[in-house]
Amino acid sequence: MSSPDYLVAGQGLAGTVFALSAIQRGRAVLVIDPEESSTCSRVAAGLMNPISGPRLALGENEETLWNAASGFYRHWEAILEAPFFEERPILRLLTGADQAERWEKRLRDPRYDAWHEPLPPEWASRAPFGGFTTKRCGRLHTVTFLDAARTWLRQRGSFRTGTVPEDTAAVWCIGHELRRSGPFREVPIRPARGTILTIRAPEFRETRIVHAGKWIVPVGPDTYRVGSTYEWNPADAFPSLEAREELRTFLDGFLGGSWELINEEAGIRPMANRGLPFLGSHPTQPNQILFNGLGSRGSLLAPWYAGRLLDHLELGAPDQSDLTDPSDPRTN
Ligand SMILES: Cc1cc2nc3c(=O)[nH]c(=O)nc-3n(C[C@H](O)[C@H](O)[C@H](O)COP(=O)(O)OP(=O)(O)OC[C@H]3O[C@@H](n4cnc5c(N)ncnc54)[C@H](O)[C@@H]3O)c2cc1C
């Protein structure tokens, strides 16, 4: 390829969604990534949940984010010929009286009406503090998406294995590595390690995603992924004893001990304040561009914000500082 319009450093969710969005707008891209097997995006559960955190907050922009994300992934599923997006309800079981009280208050806000319906009867009887079914949510199979996009980009000569050197002009989509390399080290992302377990639980027999403080995602026959944890400023990306214990305690309480550990993984999320990603050009080096800080909601945020970054770069639209904050702080 002769000189691309955008050299993209990193092929996690941020780099992949940015690259595909730029291609949709007729731009030539070259994505460079070291192809490590365990990165934040590859470990992630990929949940897209508008009412995800313990505070049950619904962001101002949720409709826009969901429409952008679901439209983007469906569009690319057809082109990449891989199934990686599924719209699935999430059963939310409230975890205590405080949360039930908060939910009562939330329900006075009519914006919530479009996003929930009652729990199915078999779950209502198992939810002492009540709960609801979240609608218009789902899951991105991140590994399938990233692998399919990588193969497709490579076939077009738009992907190369490697690491982008420090001083190269690029769109920097390198997740938590931002603190260690590239021109945006000063940007205050906060690294948060998350651990996920994969378990076998033949007696659970649930095909929907269940969220009861921690989430349980069906991923195969009798097999589930369970997460997640938050450990700030971790020294490495390996599951810690504390995180494992936190998830074990949850599972023992929720499934009554009838489960078996198959695997455990961890990744480091690039968190930004107030859940708002960092995007835009470097203040003194305009050919250095940033797309980072997707936090715990990368699958839902990436398509909308990649589009806003391209609007900024191509049309001179204002950068993120002039956009509406899409969410309260929240966790997956
Ligand atoms: C346990 C866990 C569970 C999660 N669950 C969810 C969830 O359910 N839903 C959700 O939406 N989000 C979830 N997330 C968050 C989501 O994974 C992140 O928002 C997202 O992965 C961040 O993507 P990224 O591309 O910014 O970073 P990364 O995935 O870290 O990608 C950065 C890429 O850049 C590469 N790189 C680094 N340096 C260079 C360089 N110099 N040159 C080239 N490439 C480089 C890296 O190798 C990597 O491939 C979860 C995260 C964790 C850890």
Side-chain angles (χ1 to χ4, degrees), residues 8-16 31-49 73 138-140 142 146 150 160 162-166 172-178 181-182 192-196 215 217 225-230 265-271 291-302 332:
V8 180
Q11 199 239 330
L13 277 174
T16 306
V31 183
I32 299 183
D33 184 281
E35 295 197 72
E36 285 164 8
S37 56
S38 178
T39 62
C40 180
S41 298
R42 299 180 82 82
V43 166
L47 299 183
M48 299 161 71
N49 183 2
Y73 296 126
R139 179 170 172 233
L140 177 71
T142 56
L146 297 176
R150 185 177 294 175
R160 201 180 291 159
T163 303
V164 175
E166 292 272 330
W172 290 89
C173 306
I174 60 173
H176 74 98
E177 291 291 340
L178 183 75
S181 62
R193 178 170 55 197
T195 296
I196 292 188
W215 39 252
V217 182
R225 295 187 89 203
V226 182
S228 177
T229 55
Y230 282 78
E265 296 161 276
I268 302 182
R269 308 172 186 88
M271 306 293 287
F291 188 29
N292 206 308
L294 291 176
S296 50
R297 306 216 302 155
S299 329
L300 188 62
L301 299 186
N332 57 45

Side-chain angles (χ1 to χ4, degrees), residues 51 77 235 278:
I51 314 175
E77 265 189 333
F278 294 111

Side-chain angles (χ1 to χ4, degrees), residues 15-16 20 31 45 52 72 113 129-130 139 151-152 186 189 206 223 230 232 240 278 281 284 310 313 321:
T16 306
L20 298 182
V31 183
S52 57
F72 178 88
D113 293 352
F129 299 101
R139 179 170 172 233
T151 302
W152 188 84
E186 306 302 317
I189 62 155
E206 180 55 69
T223 310
Y230 282 78
W232 298 96
S240 69
F278 294 111
S281 313
T284 59
L310 280 158
L313 297 171
S321 52

Side-chain angles (χ1 to χ4, degrees), residues 103-125:
W103 181 237
E104 277 301 311
K105 286 190 189 140
R106 296 286 192 207
L107 288 179
R108 290 179 211 148
D109 179 346
R111 290 183 313 118
Y112 278 76
D113 293 352
W115 297 95
H116 73 94
E117 60 191 16
L119 280 176
E122 69 275 19
W123 274 102
S125 58

Side-chain angles (χ1 to χ4, degrees), residues 188-218:
I189 62 155
R190 296 187 303 145
R193 178 170 55 197
T195 296
I196 292 188
L197 307 184
T198 304
I199 63 162
R200 231 176 78 76
E203 287 167 35
F204 187 45
R205 292 196 197 93
E206 180 55 69
T207 55
R208 292 157 292 196
I209 298 165
V210 177
H211 189 322
K214 305 289 181 200
W215 39 252
I216 306 182
V217 182

